[in-house]
Amino acid sequence: MTRERYFGILERETGRLDRIVRDLLDLARFENGVTALDTRLFDIQRLFEHVIARHEHDARGRGIALTSRIAFGADQVTGDPDRIEQVLENLVANALRHTPDGGAVTLSASTNDGDIVLTVQDSGAGIRPEHLPHVFERFYKVDVARSNGSGGSGLGLSISNAIVKRHGGALHVASGPGETTFTVRLPQTAPLA
């Protein structure tokens, strides 16, 4: 029985290291412009539906309201839908990880100065001001109050930031007690790369 337990631990840790290596390779490819984007016009509502469906079971089990809203004129954008979904997937997974049971996570889309603005907002404890300038750095993990003792490799936000930049956009975070909002700002027409 003890040997099986150790093999299980070894298998989990090997999988975790494999994910970190894959994440580092992805990050390097995006930062160096090696990975091509499959750019096309796509529907934001469908993207939101995919991300919500992926997390719906966990959110419902914890009593977290996981909702979306799309403003008029913000229903489509040109970009790589798989990569933008990867960004939103990461942001929602983080939001759920840091939102207490009974809280809320909201995805929204709007327009501003000709750009599409996607946000993921959670009702968690918030990120302390001294951590905000560092959240997009590789391997940076925010304090224990935000992480609830769980978390990933510390690469997800770095990868998300690189993907958004590759689209000619910007990724920002704002946080205060009881609320954190990640904002993805994308040009309506992404660069063909």
Side-chain angles (χ1 to χ4, degrees):
M1 183 94 159
T2 302
R3 187 165 60 176
E4 289 175 11
R5 192 173 119 240
Y6 288 128
F7 279 128
I9 292 169
L10 183 61
E11 185 177 4
R12 283 189 303 277
E13 288 303 306
T14 301
R16 187 178 67 78
L17 288 173
D18 181 54
R19 282 189 303 278
I20 290 171
V21 169
R22 281 187 279 127
D23 285 349
L24 281 169
L25 289 172
D26 276 351
L27 182 57
R29 287 182 190 118
F30 279 113
E31 288 180 341
N32 294 312
V34 175
T35 301
L37 298 176
D38 182 13
T39 305
R40 59 187 184 269
L41 186 67
F42 66 91
D43 182 56
I44 292 175
Q45 179 65 38
R46 187 177 198 132
L47 191 72
F48 282 0
E49 288 171 358
H50 289 175
V51 173
I52 288 172
R54 192 169 296 123
H55 295 284
E56 198 168 34
H57 179 74
D58 179 43
R60 192 177 315 124
R62 295 179 49 215
I64 295 174
L66 181 55
T67 59
S68 69
R69 62 178 175 257
I70 298 175
F72 179 78
D75 56 339
Q76 293 188 329
V77 68
T78 300
D80 185 327
D82 294 330
R83 295 307 183 175
I84 298 302
E85 184 172 338
Q86 181 180 353
V87 170
L88 291 176
E89 164 67 25
N90 180 61
L91 296 177
V92 170
N94 284 346
L96 286 170
R97 188 178 302 125
H98 306 306
T99 298
D101 293 357
V105 174
T106 304
L107 289 85
S108 64
S110 61
T111 59
N112 186 290
D113 292 332
D115 290 342
I116 294 290
V117 179
L118 308 175
T119 62
V120 176
Q121 184 176 63
D122 70 60
S123 62
I127 302 171
R128 293 196 338 232
E130 64 268 23
H131 295 290
L132 288 173
H134 306 288
V135 296
F136 300 115
E137 295 174 7
R138 293 178 188 184
F139 301 112
Y140 191 83
K141 293 188 180 184
V142 178
D143 63 348
V144 177
R146 176 82 177 157
S147 69
N148 291 335
S150 65
S153 65
L155 291 169
L157 290 175
S158 298
I159 292 169
S160 295
N161 194 35
I163 290 170
V164 172
K165 283 182 178 178
R166 188 73 203 270
H167 278 80
L171 179 58
H172 301 284
V173 61
S175 189
E179 181 179 285
T180 297
T181 303
F182 281 89
T183 302
V184 177
R185 190 175 186 110
L186 298 168
Q188 287 241 293
T189 305
L192 297 172

